[in-house]
Amino acid sequence: HDKVLELTLSGGTNKFKDVKLLPKFGSLQISSDPVGAEVFLADEKVGETPYSNDHVLSGSYLLSLRKPLYLPLENQSVEIQDGGTLPLKLKLEANFGETRVESTPAGAAIKVLESSGSTVLTDTSPATLKLEPGAYRLLLEKTGYAALEFKLNVARNQKQTLSGAAATLRKLEGTVTITATP
């Protein structure tokens, strides 16, 4: 904070007491479960959790935390006090379902598509996929095998399995007969 001083100057060397300024800032420390959430103060991204800043201007702020596959914490009011420390421990709520994908044979390429056709994620079987709730198309592909496609409905906090028995890829094979004379 600013400080106003009245000084009387005289000839020669003037000595004054040390002037102590009071801080116009405080400290903000944020931890989250899970870690790695984006931190927004006054709608401006300032970092990721765990987050620490020892020089945040005093005042009221709106705090938001965002992380893919988790429900965001939006517009939480926080007050930074002069010279104070505000430690926050926040928990983000999961917003995904898990789908275990197995295939016969293993090692098939997994591609998950939104209804618009854009790719959400890719992996290789067997794999456990974390997806936001919604409807998806799941493709299994492997060289030398016919591709398979499944409709996938994911619900929040639910687990499901696409077993290797249900996801058996058909081998692409045929017969070649060669006849020669003589």
Side-chain angles (χ1 to χ4, degrees), residues 97-126:
E98 291 185 6
T99 301
R100 175 77 181 162
V101 179
E102 301 168 353
S103 69
T104 304
I110 301 168
K111 186 186 290 186
V112 179
L113 306 168
E114 291 180 318
S115 58
S116 66
S118 61
T119 301
V120 175
L121 68 85
T122 58
D123 209 329
T124 304
S125 71

Side-chain angles (χ1 to χ4, degrees), residues 23-179:
K24 192 176 183 179
F25 59 89
S27 177
L28 178 61
Q29 298 170 350
I30 304 169
S31 61
S32 70
D33 178 19
V35 298
E38 294 177 317
V39 177
F40 293 84
L41 267 183
D43 225 15
E44 179 183 330
K45 183 178 176 185
V46 294
E48 292 185 352
T49 60
Y51 175 79
S52 181
N53 185 342
D54 292 334
H55 287 85
V56 179
L57 287 177
S58 300
S60 296
Y61 293 90
L62 291 178
L63 169 73
S64 297
L65 293 183
R66 299 180 192 135
K67 183 171 176 82
L69 300 177
Y70 291 85
L71 295 174
L73 286 175
E74 295 287 347
N75 298 325
Q76 304 292 311
S77 182
V78 294
E79 183 75 29
I80 305 297
Q81 301 291 326
D82 292 344
T85 298
L86 179 60
L88 296 173
K89 293 181 182 181
L90 302 170
K91 182 168 178 59
L92 296 172
E93 190 176 341
N95 187 34
F96 62 85
E98 291 185 6
T99 301
R100 175 77 181 162
V101 179
E102 301 168 353
S103 69
T104 304
I110 301 168
K111 186 186 290 186
V112 179
L113 306 168
E114 291 180 318
S115 58
S116 66
S118 61
T119 301
V120 175
L121 68 85
T122 58
D123 209 329
T124 304
S125 71
T128 300
L129 312 175
K130 290 182 178 180
L131 296 164
E132 290 184 354
Y136 301 92
R137 289 185 317 146
L138 186 138
L139 300 174
L140 290 173
E141 299 172 321
K142 186 168 177 122
T143 303
Y145 293 84
L148 284 177
E149 182 174 332
F150 297 90
K151 289 183 179 179
L152 186 62
N153 287 309
V154 177
R156 191 170 142 218
N157 297 327
Q158 297 296 313
K159 293 183 180 185
Q160 59 187 339
T161 299
L162 177 60
S163 69
T168 300
L169 299 168
R170 184 179 50 85
K171 188 161 182 65
L172 296 175
E173 56 187 353
T175 308
V176 176
T177 305
I178 300 176
T179 315

Side-chain angles (χ1 to χ4, degrees), residues 2-15:
D2 294 338
K3 189 164 193 170
V4 176
L5 300 173
E6 282 190 27
L7 304 173
T8 304
L9 300 175
S10 59
T13 303
N14 293 283
K15 293 195 179 197

